[in-house]
Amino acid sequence: MEGRGEYTLPTDTKYVGEMKDGMFHGEGTLYFPGGSKYEGTWERGIAKKGKYTFADGLEYKEKDWEYCDGYERRFYTEVCDGLKPAGQSQLTNLDPPRVIPEGCYDCGDGFYNPNTRVITDYKNQFLRNADDDEHEWIIRTCRKGWDEIVGHKPGN
């Protein structure tokens, strides 16, 4: 691959830009299947500088990032469109949120089945097998596809 062109990875992520010696080199953009993109400058396959834009248009800022930090906990759609009335929770930036298959977790780029340790994209295509660290992180932090009663249970 040499010059300007397009290359689609097995994950359906598409690179459009300059290449040299079979590597991303120069100006180029990675388009991710979920609608986000990374526009950057590449040097022998390594991104040297760039800008990541989420699917909803929110641009990541390395400095002065105020979105969803310890002080600002709203989703970007809530920042843009306002909060819902009391009693109506917004669980994710996508509203309504994706329906998670029973027994699985939404890990951000797809669904994770802890029994098989397989992550599939939102169209049920294989993405990867989770290693022990990723498995523990998903179980600890990601939204699950079932309800659990936690806390005080009357009568016990």
Side-chain angles (χ1 to χ4, degrees):
M1 298 182 293
E2 194 80 26
R4 186 155 182 79
E6 293 183 13
Y7 179 76
T8 303
L9 290 95
T11 60
D12 283 337
T13 298
K14 181 167 47 166
Y15 175 79
V16 177
E18 300 169 347
M19 296 178 244
K20 183 177 180 181
D21 295 330
M23 295 179 278
F24 304 162
H25 190 82
E27 301 295 316
T29 304
L30 279 172
Y31 295 94
F32 299 97
S36 58
K37 66 181 177 178
Y38 180 83
E39 301 168 278
T41 303
W42 306 82
E43 208 171 281
R44 290 182 292 220
I46 298 171
K48 292 299 184 176
K49 68 176 183 172
K51 175 178 74 170
Y52 182 83
T53 306
F54 293 89
D56 60 11
L58 175 67
E59 292 181 6
Y60 175 74
K61 297 178 192 172
E62 195 166 334
K63 295 181 181 175
D64 301 321
W65 178 250
E66 296 176 355
Y67 170 69
C68 219
D69 64 11
Y71 301 103
E72 171 61 87
R73 300 296 304 237
R74 295 178 293 167
F75 292 109
Y76 186 61
T77 52
E78 292 175 313
V79 172
C80 295
D81 303 331
L83 296 172
K84 293 184 173 298
Q88 295 181 15
S89 297
Q90 185 166 334
L91 300 174
T92 69
N93 193 52
L94 182 64
D95 190 41
R98 288 182 181 87
V99 175
I100 304 170
E102 182 76 24
C104 294
Y105 294 79
D106 184 345
C107 59
D109 59 348
F111 298 123
Y112 175 63
N113 183 326
N115 296 323
T116 61
R117 291 189 163 212
V118 169
I119 298 169
T120 58
D121 66 15
Y122 295 119
K123 295 178 182 173
N124 206 29
Q125 299 296 308
F126 176 84
L127 286 179
R128 65 187 175 278
N129 292 311
D131 62 18
D132 290 342
D133 290 338
E134 187 173 26
H135 169 81
E136 293 302 323
W137 180 85
I138 291 171
I139 299 298
R140 188 176 63 252
T141 61
C142 293
R143 199 166 65 90
K144 46 188 177 224
W146 67 93
D147 291 329
E148 280 183 338
I149 309 256
V150 296
H152 176 72
K153 296 178 186 171
N156 291 345

